């Protein structure tokens, strides 16, 4: 994700780079699950950043249901659970489902439609542009996320940060964000989980879970980077998990706490996944169809809408001609 902010009192230039991946090492018994290499959102800032204050953070996993519904209105129709007895089996089955996904993902390409918006203080659109491109997802050994996701034009040329020169927010790196809930990642990510209850998502019955990363102990996090120095900004969110097969159908992610040092008040991503059938994989892969990214920073508001279609295997063809 890249963002150029001008004319603010706290900073004159801010670049955001999303990398959805991780830094854990898989155990030997998890050999079928490649381990990602680095961690998620990089903020390149002028000067030395300060870590967010988590003393007053109120993680979703701890909030009373009424307050949680106020923070996440989509939970209004939730049927709350009376206890947490089912949580361990939900996490186990969900993790194994994600293990299969990581094992079968390979290299993919999709058609992407991006709408980039600048918003007024009341949330109304003051400027927007729409871009279409080819979105490439590569598996570089253990590297995942924005470091392995690229945009290309119809001729196969790699595109730069679209919209950045016009002052728009540039977002990417969400295609594989759910791998943080695979078996290996769960065992080492030190996130906390809470089984909230059940809800319908379209025609599907789902388990609804809240998660929150522990500050200072995370492997997936928002990372503020200044040169070689980094400061972590953990996330929290909500998962909607299909009751029939433990597939994650939707994932909402928020910052665990704002960062006043860079005036980052909110970063919310909402990813809807859909089944994609490939000839070389017996079961469908679930990949993002629609991703909604909203950010409030330095008094400015941005929203990007990503729509992905026509996922297919990416294979490089080489033409050999006479010399």
């Amino acid at each position: 994700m890249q963002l150029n902010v001008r004319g603010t009192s706290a900073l004159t230039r801010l670049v955001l780079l999303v990398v959805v991946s991780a830094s854990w090492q898989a155990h030997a018994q998890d050999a079928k699950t490649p381990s990602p290499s680095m961690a998620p959102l990089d903020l390149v800032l002028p000067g030395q950043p300060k870590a967010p204050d988590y003393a007053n953070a109120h993680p979703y996993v701890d909030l009373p249901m009424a307050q949680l519904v106020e923070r996440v209105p989509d939970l209004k129709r939730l049927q709350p659970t009376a206890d947490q007895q089912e949580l361990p089996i939900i996490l186990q089955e969900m993790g194994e489902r994600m293990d299969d996904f990581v094992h079968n993902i390979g290299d993919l390409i999709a058609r992407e439609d991006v709408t980039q918006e600048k918003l007024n203080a009341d949330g109304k659109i003051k400027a927007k542009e729409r871009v279409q491109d080819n979105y490439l997802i590569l598996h570089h050994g253990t590297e995942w996320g924005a470091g392995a996701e690229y945009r290309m034009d119809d001729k196969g040329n790699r595109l730069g940060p679209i919209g950045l020169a016009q002052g728009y927010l540039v977002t990417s790196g969400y295609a594989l964000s759910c791998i943080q809930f695979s078996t290996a990642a769960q065992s080492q990510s030190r996130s906390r989980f809470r089984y909230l209850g059940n809800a319908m998502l379209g025609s599907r019955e789902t388990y609804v879970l809240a998660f929150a990363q522990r500050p200072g102990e995370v492997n997936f996090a928002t990372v503020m980077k200044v040169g070689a120095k980094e400061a972590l900004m953990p996330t929290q969110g909500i998962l909607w998990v299909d009751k029939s097969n433990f597939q994650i159908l939707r994932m909402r992610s928020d910052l665990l706490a704002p960062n006043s040092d860079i005036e980052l008040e909110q970063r919310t991503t909402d990813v809807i996944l859909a089944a994609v059938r490939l000839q070389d994989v017996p079961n469908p892969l679930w990949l993002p169809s629609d991703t909604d990214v909203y950010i409030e920073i330095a008094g400015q508001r941005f929203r990007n809408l990503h729509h992905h279609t026509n996922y297919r295997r990416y294979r490089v063809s080489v033409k050999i001609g006479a010399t």
Side-chain angles (χ1 to χ4, degrees):
M1 177 190 307
Q2 294 186 327
L3 167 63
N4 194 14
V5 178
R6 295 184 176 90
T8 64
S9 58
L11 58 160
T12 58
R13 179 176 174 81
L14 174 63
V15 179
L16 308 182
L17 173 62
V18 169
V19 181
V20 183
S21 52
S23 58
W24 83 85
Q25 296 296 320
H27 297 296
Q29 61 267 31
D30 298 321
K32 72 173 185 177
T33 306
S35 11
S37 57
M38 281 295 297
L41 178 62
D42 293 339
L43 309 186
V44 184
L45 305 172
Q48 175 64 37
K50 298 177 182 178
D53 179 10
Y54 296 108
N56 297 316
H58 301 287
Y60 291 166
V61 294
D62 297 328
L63 287 179
M65 187 57 67
Q67 293 184 30
L68 184 53
V69 170
E70 185 177 348
R71 295 278 299 273
V72 186
D74 287 350
L75 299 178
K76 286 181 179 179
R77 297 181 181 177
L78 178 80
Q79 297 178 351
T81 184
D83 55 55
Q84 299 295 300
Q85 291 184 5
E86 292 184 79
L87 180 60
I89 189 63
I90 296 173
L91 294 178
Q92 177 184 338
E93 296 286 347
M94 180 180 72
E96 292 176 357
R97 183 83 180 185
M98 293 312 305
D99 292 347
D100 291 338
F101 171 82
V102 174
H103 180 68
N104 291 312
I105 183 65
D107 296 344
L108 298 174
I109 190 169
R111 191 64 178 172
E112 182 184 43
D113 189 318
V114 185
T115 301
Q116 299 173 300
E117 299 175 348
K118 301 176 190 177
L119 307 177
N120 293 322
D122 58 2
K124 293 183 179 179
I125 299 171
K126 63 180 182 181
K128 73 175 181 178
E129 69 173 16
R130 180 180 172 186
V131 180
Q132 292 181 312
D133 57 68
N134 293 308
Y135 199 78
L136 181 61
I137 305 163
L138 297 179
H139 176 196
H140 296 293
T142 59
E143 183 176 352
W144 301 88
E149 297 180 24
Y150 309 96
R151 291 186 168 100
M152 301 187 304
D153 61 22
D154 289 332
K155 295 181 179 180
N157 300 312
R158 183 171 175 177
L159 298 175
I162 55 175
L164 183 62
Q166 292 75 37
Y168 288 97
L169 188 81
V170 183
T171 48
S172 63
Y174 299 108
L176 308 175
S177 55
C178 286
I179 65 172
Q180 64 183 286
F181 303 109
S182 64
T183 301
Q186 281 188 41
S187 66
Q188 299 185 41
S189 66
R190 299 178 179 87
S191 291
R192 293 192 294 146
F193 293 90
R194 174 183 167 194
Y195 174 29
L196 300 176
N198 307 318
M200 297 298 297
L201 188 64
S203 61
R204 296 175 179 269
E205 292 185 67
T206 67
Y207 300 107
V208 182
L209 309 181
F211 69 90
Q213 298 176 325
R214 300 177 189 271
E217 301 181 25
V218 301
N219 291 312
F220 288 88
T222 298
V223 180
M224 298 193 311
K225 181 182 292 184
V226 179
K229 298 180 180 180
E230 296 181 346
L232 301 182
M233 296 178 62
T235 59
Q236 61 181 338
I238 307 293
L239 301 174
W240 285 260
V241 181
D242 194 325
K243 277 193 168 187
S244 67
N245 58 12
F246 297 93
Q247 169 63 50
I248 298 173
L249 302 177
R250 179 182 176 187
M251 172 182 169
R252 171 182 167 137
S253 176
D254 296 283
L255 294 176
L256 189 60
N259 189 296
S260 59
D261 190 53
I262 60 171
E263 300 183 59
L264 179 60
E265 290 298 318
Q266 182 176 346
R267 184 194 67 107
T268 297
T269 65
D270 198 343
V271 182
I272 303 295
L273 296 104
V276 175
R277 294 191 175 275
L278 302 173
Q279 292 183 349
D280 59 342
V281 180
N283 297 316
L285 297 178
W286 287 75
L287 291 155
S289 62
D290 293 278
T291 301
D292 186 330
V293 184
Y294 176 79
I295 286 186
E296 293 183 13
I297 186 166
Q300 300 187 59
R301 292 167 172 81
F302 301 86
R303 186 184 187 195
N304 282 5
L305 304 172
H306 302 256
H307 181 59
H308 292 94
T309 57
N310 193 25
Y311 283 98
R312 57 204 184 276
R313 285 294 183 208
Y314 176 75
R315 294 180 173 87
V316 177
S317 59
V318 178
K319 295 183 179 180
I320 301 177
T323 59

